[in-house]
């Protein structure tokens, strides 16, 4: 799945999930999109002489829905066709870097090649420092995200982030949700593109300095020399010997220099044009070897990563939304909902309700793996000792709480935090209201008490970095969880 197909799929998912009441996409719209997408995907697979895949289906279905919404709401159609991000940035930065490099040495005397030129030494020193920093950063465990902050990456991924005006409320909510999700999903791709551009810009900066040095030499007689308040001739000779060593060893036509020659060049005494040419070649070759070539190699590697991510966008198709759509065309294995009850034992009726909710959220073929309940107050590590939390084939791991219980940070919260740190895809939270409704019945103020307890659980789950999905296991159709609504999990990145 390439970047554009993934973007369309994520946008459609955000809209369908936000449109809980089916205001902008009716049931007929969704069924028609799925039916026509299945046929088109089958034709596409037949043309490719391959079996129909979930990728084909999602591509066709997303295009059908976006086209329909664009016809109904032109403002949304313009947004869906707009290219996200700042496309001009990727070309403008290397160009500006080349121009800046071409004028940087104008800070010094334009008629002189200074052997201790601050601009050239800073270019070389800075790049060597960057290489060292990259090496150190790569060796630090868990540090893989680089220097770019989330605001910069979001800007580069989305560009202008304003939601288009005059959109229906569910559509506007879906677009807003899409922007947040896409900024997170495209972060690895944006980082690769930014890395490529930064390395390419550094190479262009050095190339600009080299080009300026040679271009001015065509019309100007360079005077070569050096001056320093603190360094003597021997120290300058040692410094330049180390600096120019790679160029002299790689390019045999470049001549070395002696301590006597360095002493004669002190105080900027003029030398012949041939001598000036030699030092221009030395600086140019050094910049080429230490800056331009390494940066171009790093840019090529980052560009390869960006192209690979753009062609094979890392979209987690095991999310509940995608698994249910895959189930509708018989693609892939049935989804598996693993449920971990906490201080809550299910009877037969509620067990059936749990299977009905799994079918509604993950497809008719979905299965349920109900684990033994964990006792109240028990340490999560001991309670889950026999549970393989990274078990292959589990689509969603959900913690099941009873609404009749009052959430406690040291018990319910500790259990939830333990799972959140160890389940790679994230943890969903199911809160069953049926035990509380059975207890309070139709007593006066029961509705207010139910709303108050629900708000308490919402706040509790939000504090622990997740959201509560309220269900009624005795009436599983009471709350819609179709297409993964309420069971959305953090994407894999």
């Amino acid at each position: 799945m390439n970047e554009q197909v993934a973007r369309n799929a994520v946008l459609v998912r955000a809209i369908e999930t936000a449109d809980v009441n089916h205001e902008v996409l009716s049931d007929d719209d969704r069924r028609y999109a799925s039916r026509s997408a299945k046929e088109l995907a089958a034709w596409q697979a037949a043309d490719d002489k391959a079996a129909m895949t979930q990728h084909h289906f999602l591509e066709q279905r997303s295009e059908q829905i976006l086209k329909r919404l664009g016809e109904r709401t032109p403002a949304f159609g313009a947004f869906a066709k707009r290219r996200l991000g700042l496309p001009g940035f990727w070309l403008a930065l290397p160009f500006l870097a080349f121009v800046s490099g071409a004028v940087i040495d104008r800070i010094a005397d334009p008629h002189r090649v200074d052997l201790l030129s601050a601009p050239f030494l800073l270019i070389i020193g800075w790049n060597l420092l960057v290489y060292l920093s990259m090496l150190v950063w790569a060796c630090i465990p868990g540090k893989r995200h680089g220097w770019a902050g989330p605001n910069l990456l979001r800007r580069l991924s989305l560009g202008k982030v304003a939601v288009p005006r005059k959109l229906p409320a569910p559509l506007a909510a879906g677009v807003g949700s899409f922007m947040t999700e896409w900024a997170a999903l495209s972060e690895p791709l944006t980082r690769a593109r930014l890395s490529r551009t930064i390395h390419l810009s550094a190479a262009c900066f050095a190339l600009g300095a080299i080009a300026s040095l040679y271009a001015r030499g065509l019309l100007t007689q360079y005077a070569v020399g050096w001056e320093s308040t603190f360094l003597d001739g021997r120290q300058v000779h040692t410094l330049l010997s180390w600096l120019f060593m790679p160029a002299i060893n790689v390019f045999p036509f470049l001549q070395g220099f002696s301590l006597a020659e360095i002493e004669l060049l002190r105080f900027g005494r003029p030398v012949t044009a041939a001598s000036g040419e030699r030092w221009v070649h030395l600086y140019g070759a050094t910049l080429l070897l230490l800056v331009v070539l390494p940066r171009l190699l790093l840019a090529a590697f980052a560009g390869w990563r960006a192209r690979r991510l753009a062609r094979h966008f890392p979209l987690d198709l095991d999310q509940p939304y995608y698994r249910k759509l895959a189930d509708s065309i018989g693609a892939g294995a049935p989804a598996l909902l693993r449920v971990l009850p906490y201080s809550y034992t299910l009877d037969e009726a509620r067990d059936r309700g749990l299977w009905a909710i799994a079918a509604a959220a993950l497809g008719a073929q979905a299965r349920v793996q109900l684990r033994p309940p964990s006792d109240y107050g028990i340490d999560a590590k001991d309670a889950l000792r026999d549970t393989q939390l990274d078990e292959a084939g589990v689509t969603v791991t959900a913690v099941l709480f009873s609404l009749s219980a009052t959430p406690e940070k040291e018990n319910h919260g500790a259990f939830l935090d333990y799972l959140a740190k160890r389940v790679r895809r994230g943890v969903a939270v199911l809160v069953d209201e049926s035990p509380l409704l059975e207890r309070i019945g139709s007593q006066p103020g029961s509705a207010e008490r139910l709303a108050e307890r629900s708000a308490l659980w919402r706040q509790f789950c939000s504090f622990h970095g997740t959201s509560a999905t309220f269900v009624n296991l005795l009436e599983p159709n009471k709350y819609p969880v179709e297409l993964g609504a309420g069971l959305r999990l953090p994407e894999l990145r």
Side-chain angles (χ1 to χ4, degrees):
M1 180 180 294
N2 62 38
E3 178 186 5
Q4 184 60 46
V5 174
R7 178 201 166 183
N8 290 344
V10 173
L11 178 56
V12 170
R13 180 184 70 169
I15 294 170
E16 288 194 271
T17 304
D19 186 24
V20 177
N21 297 322
H22 297 196
E23 297 176 32
V24 295
L25 282 172
S26 66
D27 290 330
D28 290 338
D29 291 332
R30 302 182 191 211
R31 283 193 293 266
Y32 174 79
S34 296
R35 184 170 60 252
S36 59
K38 185 176 181 180
E39 295 175 357
L40 292 171
W43 291 342
Q44 181 181 355
D47 291 339
D48 296 338
K49 297 181 179 179
M52 183 179 66
T53 65
Q54 187 179 4
H55 291 184
H56 294 140
F57 175 72
L58 288 176
E59 178 180 0
Q60 298 296 338
R61 188 176 187 275
S62 300
E63 290 180 359
Q64 294 286 326
I65 290 178
L66 294 180
K67 181 180 178 181
R68 180 66 59 90
L69 291 175
E71 292 172 349
R72 295 173 178 172
T73 311
F76 174 79
F79 169 81
K81 295 177 182 177
R82 180 169 67 88
R83 186 176 179 182
L84 295 181
L86 303 174
F89 171 82
W90 311 114
L91 294 177
L93 191 61
F95 174 76
L96 292 176
F98 182 85
V99 174
S100 301
V103 302
I104 189 65
D105 63 333
R106 296 283 179 160
I107 298 174
D109 187 348
H111 298 283
R112 172 178 172 174
V113 175
D114 191 346
L115 298 185
L116 297 179
S117 171
F120 287 113
L121 292 177
L122 283 174
I123 293 174
I124 296 170
W126 170 254
N127 281 273
L128 293 178
L129 181 61
V130 168
Y131 304 151
L132 178 61
S133 301
M134 292 176 63
L135 181 62
V136 172
W137 192 263
C139 296
I140 299 177
K143 299 292 185 181
R144 295 292 183 269
H145 295 313
W147 53 269
N151 291 333
L152 173 62
L153 294 173
R154 178 181 176 84
R155 185 68 174 175
L156 293 175
S157 298
L158 301 176
K160 185 180 179 181
V161 295
V163 176
R165 298 180 180 181
K166 299 181 181 179
L167 294 182
L171 198 54
V175 170
S177 176
F178 160 75
M179 289 183 174
T180 301
E181 292 178 18
W182 186 251
L185 285 172
S186 61
E187 183 179 307
L189 176 58
T190 304
R191 285 188 183 278
R193 287 172 172 165
L194 181 60
S195 178
R196 176 198 61 194
T197 302
I198 292 298
H199 290 307
L200 186 59
S201 299
C204 288
F205 188 84
L207 282 173
I210 296 172
S212 175
L213 188 64
Y214 277 94
R216 286 192 295 109
L218 293 175
L219 304 174
T220 303
Q221 172 104 20
Y222 282 131
V224 181
W226 65 275
E227 56 187 359
S228 174
T229 302
F230 302 106
L231 300 179
D232 57 25
R234 185 176 298 278
Q235 292 171 325
V236 172
H237 177 265
T238 301
L239 172 63
L240 295 179
S241 296
W242 280 99
L243 180 64
F244 296 138
M245 183 188 301
I248 293 174
N249 289 333
V250 172
F251 301 105
F253 62 87
L254 294 177
Q255 299 178 358
F257 45 87
S258 64
L259 176 59
E261 289 180 287
I262 296 299
E263 290 286 3
L264 289 175
L265 294 175
R266 190 165 189 173
F267 305 123
R269 298 171 185 172
V271 297
T272 64
S275 179
E277 180 181 354
R278 177 176 64 162
W279 296 103
V280 169
H281 291 327
L282 282 172
Y283 258 115
T286 299
L287 286 172
L288 182 67
L289 287 176
L290 298 184
V291 180
V292 177
L293 293 181
R295 288 289 196 165
L296 288 179
L297 288 175
L298 291 170
F301 176 72
W304 171 79
R305 287 188 62 245
R307 288 190 299 273
R308 183 168 61 91
L309 289 171
R311 288 196 301 265
H312 306 285
F313 194 87
L315 186 62
D316 179 19
L317 297 181
D318 274 338
Q319 290 286 310
Y321 172 89
Y322 302 116
R323 288 301 295 264
K324 183 171 183 179
L325 288 177
D327 183 78
S328 68
I329 62 171
L336 175 62
L337 173 64
R338 176 172 59 185
V339 180
L340 305 172
Y342 182 81
S343 186
Y344 184 27
T345 301
L346 272 63
D347 54 24
E348 184 177 350
R350 289 183 171 87
D351 182 73
R352 289 196 301 268
L354 191 60
W355 278 81
I357 288 173
L362 301 173
Q365 303 301 317
R367 297 177 293 116
V368 175
Q369 181 189 93
L370 182 63
R371 302 294 300 172
S374 300
D375 295 333
Y376 174 83
I378 190 173
D379 184 78
K381 184 177 180 180
D382 295 332
L384 301 172
R385 186 184 305 276
D386 298 328
T387 303
Q388 185 180 349
L389 296 180
D390 58 350
E391 181 180 352
V394 174
T395 307
V396 177
T397 296
V399 182
L400 178 62
F401 295 115
S402 170
L403 189 62
S404 62
T406 302
E408 299 174 355
K409 178 181 178 181
E410 61 275 12
N411 293 309
H412 305 82
F415 188 81
L416 187 57
D417 291 342
Y418 180 86
L419 284 170
K421 292 178 181 178
R422 289 163 176 81
V423 179
R424 189 168 62 95
R425 183 169 287 119
V427 178
V429 176
L430 300 176
V431 183
D432 181 19
E433 68 173 17
S434 62
L436 181 61
L437 288 177
E438 279 187 337
R439 192 172 68 188
I440 62 177
S442 58
Q443 299 176 7
S446 58
E448 291 78 6
R449 185 176 177 184
L450 181 67
E452 181 180 323
R453 183 63 60 86
S454 299
L456 182 62
W457 272 99
R458 285 193 187 93
Q459 183 180 11
F460 170 81
C461 290
S462 177
F463 177 79
H464 289 277
T466 185
S467 58
T469 300
F470 292 93
V471 297
N472 189 314
L473 295 184
L474 295 180
E475 301 177 38
N477 296 325
K478 183 176 181 179
Y479 299 106
V481 290
E482 57 186 10
L483 290 176
L487 290 176
R488 292 159 57 194
L489 302 172
E491 296 285 353
L492 294 178
R493 293 192 293 277

